[in-house]
Amino acid sequence: MSTDQQDIIHFIYAEAALIDAQKFTEWLDLYTEDALYWMPLEFDQTEEHLTTSLMYEDKLLLTVRVNRLQGHRTYSQKPRSRCHHLLQTPEILEINDDEVKTKTAFHYTETRNDEQFTLVGWVEHTLKRASDGEKPGALKILRKRVNLLNPEAAHSNIQLFV
């Protein structure tokens, strides 16, 4: 395995660790300005604009969610939700000069008070090397698609990020 592939795998594990540690500002910094976070409502859904999704958020909406989660007046988060990601080793699907595509199977558990639920599926990341900013060449998330095994089911409110 090349160093580049190891860096990609490490990046995906590090992203999940930031969410689990509730370091949402640092997590948000992993996203490009034109990033998209998508969780389809249908299994194998291909259309994202004309079909309802569980989540379809650009960087602005992700920022709003992060600000809400960190707010002192977010009473629905007292006590705060917690989560844990269990990831399989990411599979690197494609590497080219501009983008990297990966697929990672996961089990995600979220809990608050005495309620707990688990989601299972796989995440498809499209990563891009930063061309400017503080760390040129650093990996950034251009697109994150969260595919649930059972997206059509009635799910609890997902408070954090899968």
Side-chain angles (χ1 to χ4, degrees), residues 1-129:
M1 182 179 305
S2 73
T3 303
D4 199 38
Q5 290 173 322
Q6 289 174 337
D7 290 344
I8 293 164
I9 291 169
H10 175 76
F11 179 87
I12 292 169
Y13 284 136
E15 183 217 0
L18 286 173
I19 299 169
D20 292 349
Q22 297 196 10
K23 295 181 178 181
F24 300 123
T25 302
E26 292 93 330
W27 172 77
L28 194 57
D29 287 342
L30 297 178
Y31 283 77
T32 64
E33 290 306 312
D34 57 343
L36 181 66
Y37 182 103
W38 182 33
M39 186 182 294
L41 179 62
E42 299 171 7
F43 193 82
D44 282 339
Q45 183 174 330
T46 57
E47 175 52 52
E48 57 192 57
H49 299 290
L50 300 175
T51 308
T52 304
S53 298
L54 291 167
M55 291 183 201
Y56 187 79
E57 300 181 358
D58 60 10
K59 180 114 182 225
L60 176 62
L61 285 174
L62 291 174
T63 302
V64 169
R65 286 186 64 199
V66 165
N67 290 339
R68 181 188 66 82
L69 287 168
Q70 293 176 333
H72 296 292
R73 293 186 178 173
T74 308
Y75 298 110
S76 65
Q77 281 296 297
K78 293 188 182 191
R80 294 193 179 279
S81 297
R82 293 188 300 268
C83 68
H84 182 268
H85 289 79
L86 181 61
L87 306 179
Q88 239 179 15
T89 302
E91 178 184 356
I92 298 171
L93 302 175
E94 182 181 328
I95 299 178
N96 61 42
D97 292 339
D98 298 332
E99 293 182 359
V100 175
K101 295 186 179 190
T102 67
K103 180 179 178 181
T104 308
F106 70 85
H107 282 209
Y108 170 86
T109 302
E110 188 172 299
T111 185
R112 184 172 170 272
N113 285 329
D114 60 348
E115 293 184 24
Q116 179 171 294
F117 66 93
T118 299
L119 302 172
V120 177
W122 63 96
V123 173
E124 298 171 12
H125 282 91
T126 301
L127 308 175
K128 187 175 186 174
R129 294 246 178 234

